[in-house]
Amino acid sequence: MLLKVAQEARPWQTRRNETIIDAALAAGESRPLHLKDPHE
């Protein structure tokens, strides 16, 4: 889904889109964001 949206936004940057998505997913996997419960 991310790649599809990126391709629609910038179809001339296929390889860059893939690189950015891969890097973002890897960063999220290695350093996940832990949100605090707003009801605590």
Side-chain angles (χ1 to χ4, degrees), residues 2 4-5 8-9 11-12 14-16 19-21 24 26-27 29-30 32 34 37 39:
L2 293 173
K4 181 180 178 188
V5 172
E8 289 177 14
W12 62 91
T14 301
R15 187 67 203 128
R16 183 160 192 244
T19 301
I20 291 169
I21 291 169
E29 185 175 24
S30 67
H34 298 287
D37 185 351
H39 303 289

